[in-house]
Amino acid sequence: MTEIRSPIEWAFFVNQVLDEAFGRERHPMSVIEVARMFSASKYPQEPIAAVEGDDLPGFQGALIPDPGRRRGWVIIFNSAIPSRRRIRFTLAHEFGHYLMHRALRPRGFHCVSVEDSDPEQAGDRLEREADIFAANLLMPIHDFREHIAPGEWTDLNMLSCAADRYGVSLMAAIRQWLRYTHQRAVLAVSRDGYILWSEASESAKAGRTFFPNVWKETMAIPGLSLAAKREITSYPKDGLPLPKGVWFPDHEVVEMAVHSDQYEFVISLLMLDFKA
Ligand SMILES: [Zn+2]
């Protein structure tokens, strides 16, 4: 029977076991090894019997009952995904479904990962839970905070280092950092001149008198922002200070931006608190 734990509690539990077995300097770990070892020792009657790449048009990954055995499960990832880091996130997501949800859907899951999509539109509850599990499994917050403290100002260099440490995309690292930082910061993801979605740290959301939570309507990216400057290929990684009226009417920001050619979007990290 699957125990009832929240996604964060599940990730904490697995990480505790891994910390004890392998120490804190174990990142990035093989998600395949972790899923197979952990499932075999905790649920020997229904382990994850295999993890394999396959043709999965339209999906990132799947968790299905093992067709070759009576009780095991198989994780499949879309072998057309070009990024190993995205595959790692997908595998962790499917491992989350296995731990938390397999009893709810005995026929398994076919998933479009929401790792890089609008958190407000992110599929059903089980999909969101699997993503929260994946983020916390790969990037334990107790470890992340030791590299970038909650009160600390950060930039894309530091967040890229964190992404390397955990073997995740820069976007995944920024989103996890936003979940615990005390800095007022906003992530805005845009394509073709329009914001697709955005996400804010708790302290940025708390300042909603000047900051309209997260943009709810289609909004063009400001003409003076870094995100609008497609022709520039290299930016100062610690950001460009922009005056009031560029991103927010009443607030200056420091903007850092990365253009992702592979996925055709622009990631802008807006810091509302300036470096001390
Ligand atoms: Zn899923």
Side-chain angles (χ1 to χ4, degrees), residues 14 18 28-40 47-53 73-77 84 87-95 98 137-138:
V14 177
L18 295 172
M29 287 204 74
S30 158
V31 183
I32 295 176
E33 288 296 312
V34 169
R36 294 195 63 163
M37 279 180 347
F38 192 88
S39 65
I48 293 171
V51 178
E52 46 202 46
W73 292 79
V74 175
I75 290 175
I76 300 171
F77 60 91
R84 291 183 60 82
I87 289 174
R88 281 170 52 75
F89 199 93
T90 297
L91 297 177
H93 174 108
E94 301 305 335
F95 182 36
Y98 167 83
L137 177 74
L138 298 172

Side-chain angles (χ1 to χ4, degrees), residues 153-219:
W153 204 85
T154 194
D155 58 37
L156 292 184
N157 275 328
M158 292 169 75
L159 288 162
S160 296
C161 286
D164 291 344
R165 175 174 176 78
Y166 301 120
V168 298
S169 66
L170 177 62
M171 174 104 84
I174 295 173
R175 294 181 85 166
Q176 184 71 338
W177 172 77
L178 282 174
R179 293 184 183 114
Y180 75 83
T181 184
H182 299 164
Q183 295 279 319
R184 291 178 301 169
V186 178
L187 167 68
V189 177
S190 57
R191 179 181 288 147
D192 297 332
Y194 287 90
I195 294 174
L196 297 173
W197 55 270
S198 65
E199 206 166 350
S201 66
E202 284 305 315
S203 51
K205 287 182 203 163
R208 59 195 311 161
T209 48
F210 58 84
F211 172 64
N213 197 2
V214 177
W215 293 285
K216 294 290 180 205
E217 291 165 16
T218 307
M219 179 182 143

Side-chain angles (χ1 to χ4, degrees), residues 93-94 97 109-112 126-127 130:
H93 174 108
E94 301 305 335
H97 280 318
F109 290 81
H110 279 71
C111 304
V112 179
L126 302 188
E127 293 310 304

Side-chain angles (χ1 to χ4, degrees), residues 15-265:
N15 275 316
Q16 224 173 11
V17 172
L18 295 172
D19 281 350
E20 278 166 22
F22 302 102
R24 294 285 290 276
E25 290 308 314
R26 59 187 165 79
H27 300 285
M29 287 204 74
S30 158
V31 183
I32 295 176
E33 288 296 312
V34 169
R36 294 195 63 163
M37 279 180 347
F38 192 88
S39 65
S41 77
K42 189 155 174 63
Y43 306 108
Q45 299 301 311
E46 47 175 339
I48 293 171
V51 178
E52 46 202 46
D54 205 348
D55 220 12
L56 276 180
F59 295 100
Q60 301 264 358
L63 172 75
I64 57 167
D66 182 357
R69 297 192 184 193
R70 267 186 55 211
R71 288 186 185 153
W73 292 79
V74 175
I75 290 175
I76 300 171
F77 60 91
N78 185 338
S79 45
I81 298 173
S83 158
R84 291 183 60 82
R85 295 185 178 203
R86 288 167 66 93
I87 289 174
R88 281 170 52 75
F89 199 93
T90 297
L91 297 177
H93 174 108
E94 301 305 335
F95 182 36
H97 280 318
Y98 167 83
L99 291 174
M100 299 183 288
H101 307 138
R102 66 186 187 280
L104 300 175
R105 300 233 185 119
R107 296 175 67 180
F109 290 81
H110 279 71
C111 304
V112 179
S113 171
V114 293
E115 178 206 354
D116 56 7
S117 57
D118 183 349
E120 300 284 314
Q121 309 292 328
D124 67 13
R125 178 176 61 84
L126 302 188
E127 293 310 304
R128 283 197 300 275
E129 287 186 356
D131 264 15
I132 292 169
F133 171 82
N136 284 281
L137 177 74
L138 298 172
M139 299 171 276
I141 283 182
H142 65 271
D143 189 84
F144 209 140
R145 306 163 58 109
E146 286 177 11
H147 291 83
I148 305 177
E152 191 179 351
W153 204 85
T154 194
D155 58 37
L156 292 184
N157 275 328
M158 292 169 75
L159 288 162
S160 296
C161 286
D164 291 344
R165 175 174 176 78
Y166 301 120
V168 298
S169 66
L170 177 62
M171 174 104 84
I174 295 173
R175 294 181 85 166
Q176 184 71 338
W177 172 77
L178 282 174
R179 293 184 183 114
Y180 75 83
T181 184
H182 299 164
Q183 295 279 319
R184 291 178 301 169
V186 178
L187 167 68
V189 177
S190 57
R191 179 181 288 147
D192 297 332
Y194 287 90
I195 294 174
L196 297 173
W197 55 270
S198 65
E199 206 166 350
S201 66
E202 284 305 315
S203 51
K205 287 182 203 163
R208 59 195 311 161
T209 48
F210 58 84
F211 172 64
N213 197 2
V214 177
W215 293 285
K216 294 290 180 205
E217 291 165 16
T218 307
M219 179 182 143
I221 49 175
L224 293 173
S225 67
L226 277 184
K229 301 188 192 322
R230 265 234 82 123
E231 69 280 8
I232 300 178
T233 51
S234 107
Y235 306 105
K237 280 223 170 178
D238 56 354
L240 181 72
L242 291 167
K244 290 177 189 173
V246 175
W247 279 97
F248 303 110
D250 301 323
H251 258 269
E252 303 167 308
V253 301
V254 173
E255 180 184 0
M256 305 162 211
V258 172
H259 287 259
S260 165
D261 289 334
Q262 194 174 354
Y263 302 108
E264 297 177 332
F265 51 56

